[in-house]
Amino acid sequence: MGVTKISQEFASPVAPARAFRALILESNTLMPKLLPQFIKNVELLQGDGGVGSIEQVNFSEASHFKYMKNRIDDLDKENFVCKYTMVEGDALADKLESIAYEIKFENSDDGGCVCKMTSEYRAFGGYEVKEEEVKAGKESAMAIYKVIEAYLLENPNVYA
């Protein structure tokens, strides 16, 4: 099995506690509300939303994909860290066993945060993860983040 690890980070004017709450803890309700053209809903299939829980993201008809299932591997609410693994879904196709993610929100000097994300693609057999696949995943994650960031900036009392 081949493993490809990708890291990215970006700065945001949103404080880490608000960003973590919106993007991690409340994403199951916030993402379908802000991105209905892409995300139909998020269902909790197993657990209480904490470690070991499995969520299914159902995409809208406009999306390239139908669904994905994520397992929460670690949730550190004090340090704003979440680790989860995409364990099922058509985004994995028959080429990837899973994609493991780690997202960490750290304080920045300007009162905002630095979001650090690591993605670990676990491929079947000799499959090599292509640069354009990684780029598409990064762009999708950034687009979602920017929509939620804009919402938080326009609504400073939400998750304050």
Side-chain angles (χ1 to χ4, degrees):
M1 175 187 337
V3 176
T4 303
K5 198 168 189 172
I6 308 295
S7 296
Q8 65 179 347
E9 69 177 62
F10 56 91
S12 171
V14 176
R18 287 185 73 214
F20 182 79
R21 186 163 174 203
L23 284 159
I24 305 298
L25 301 179
E26 304 289 340
S27 65
N28 59 336
T29 54
L30 195 57
M31 287 197 312
K33 175 181 169 182
L34 298 180
L35 297 158
Q37 68 274 36
F38 301 114
I39 299 172
K40 191 186 307 181
N41 62 14
V42 181
E43 298 175 69
L44 184 61
L45 300 179
Q46 177 181 316
D48 60 4
V51 174
S53 295
I54 296 178
E55 293 181 334
Q56 179 169 312
V57 178
N58 295 303
F59 297 102
S60 70
E61 289 74 28
S63 174
H64 300 310
F65 304 116
K66 288 185 172 82
Y67 78 100
M68 68 180 176
K69 288 183 183 176
N70 297 321
R71 181 189 63 231
I72 308 297
D73 300 316
D74 188 26
L75 193 59
D76 183 341
K77 296 177 184 178
E78 283 76 46
N79 294 303
F80 313 122
V81 178
C82 179
K83 295 179 184 177
Y84 67 96
T85 303
M86 183 191 308
V87 293
E88 188 180 312
D90 43 1
L92 296 174
D94 55 355
K95 302 168 187 164
L96 298 173
E97 180 181 319
S98 64
I99 306 172
Y101 299 93
E102 179 177 355
I103 304 172
K104 184 177 195 175
F105 299 90
E106 298 178 347
N107 285 310
S108 60
D109 295 336
D110 62 4
C113 69
V114 175
C115 178
K116 297 181 178 183
M117 295 187 288
T118 304
S119 307
E120 191 172 286
Y121 296 77
R122 296 184 178 275
F124 286 119
Y127 181 75
E128 289 289 323
V129 177
K130 294 175 179 54
E131 185 64 37
E132 58 266 19
E133 292 171 314
V134 171
K135 188 175 182 221
K138 281 178 155 183
E139 288 172 358
S140 175
M142 282 302 298
I144 290 168
Y145 185 81
K146 288 298 179 188
V147 167
I148 292 177
E149 178 186 71
Y151 173 76
L152 293 174
L153 292 173
E154 290 167 14
N155 298 279
N157 294 328
V158 174
Y159 308 133

